[in-house]
Amino acid sequence: MDRLSARRWPPAVIVSAAVAWFGMYLHNVADLPGQDILSVETVVPTLITSALVVLWFIRPIRHAATWALLVWAWLSLIGGIISVLPLGILPFEPVQTPVHYGFHALYAAMQVPLIVVASIWLRDARRDPQPEEAPDVVDP
């Protein structure tokens, strides 16, 4: 991996994590009654996402942090889908309407960029164990 590619990872991780978080936030404040940015349903995922992104910047644990971000995004995507299924064990408040389903689809779709970024980083890290320490000049 060349140095230019290594420089693209931090913005990609930050932006994709922000998009994933924003999907959750939109779902919560737009579709759940009485929710705001300080609600537990928003604060806890915000803290988890923020902590994982901060941990990603610590090189010795970057690999583990990337896996954690990937798992977190998959849990959010799958949870967003499962939580609208008509299962007797799930409470259905708010009422399951097409608008509510739409917010769940948006929430799930907004997890995809983080899944893609984390997956590609892990693939590249497997090919080059030190991708962020690439040389300044690549020999032809």
Side-chain angles (χ1 to χ4, degrees):
M1 176 182 305
D2 63 24
R3 182 60 122 183
L4 182 58
S5 295
R7 289 186 194 145
R8 291 183 183 155
W9 286 115
V13 169
I14 292 168
V15 169
S16 63
V19 168
W21 172 85
F22 193 63
M24 175 274 311
Y25 176 72
L26 278 176
H27 167 266
N28 288 359
V29 298
D31 203 38
L32 298 178
Q35 299 295 309
D36 60 28
I37 198 160
L38 298 176
S39 301
V40 173
E41 292 85 353
T42 302
V43 169
V44 172
T46 300
L47 292 174
I48 291 170
T49 303
S50 300
L52 292 175
V53 169
V54 168
L55 291 173
W56 188 87
F57 283 91
I58 302 171
R59 284 189 180 170
I61 60 170
R62 185 170 289 169
H63 195 81
T66 306
W67 271 107
L69 282 165
L70 181 61
V71 168
W72 180 243
W74 272 110
L75 285 173
S76 296
L77 186 144
I78 292 167
I81 293 169
I82 289 177
S83 63
V84 294
L85 296 177
L87 303 173
I89 61 171
L90 297 175
F92 283 103
E93 292 180 22
V95 175
Q96 305 299 297
T97 64
V99 171
H100 184 73
Y101 290 138
F103 275 108
H104 274 258
L106 178 67
Y107 173 36
M110 290 179 81
Q111 305 308 306
V112 173
L114 183 54
I115 291 169
V116 169
V117 166
S119 297
I120 292 171
W121 189 93
L122 288 166
R123 182 200 66 199
D124 288 355
R126 188 173 55 236
R127 291 180 186 164
D128 180 3
Q130 302 295 328
E132 64 277 349
E133 296 177 18
D136 286 327
V137 178
V138 177
D139 294 329

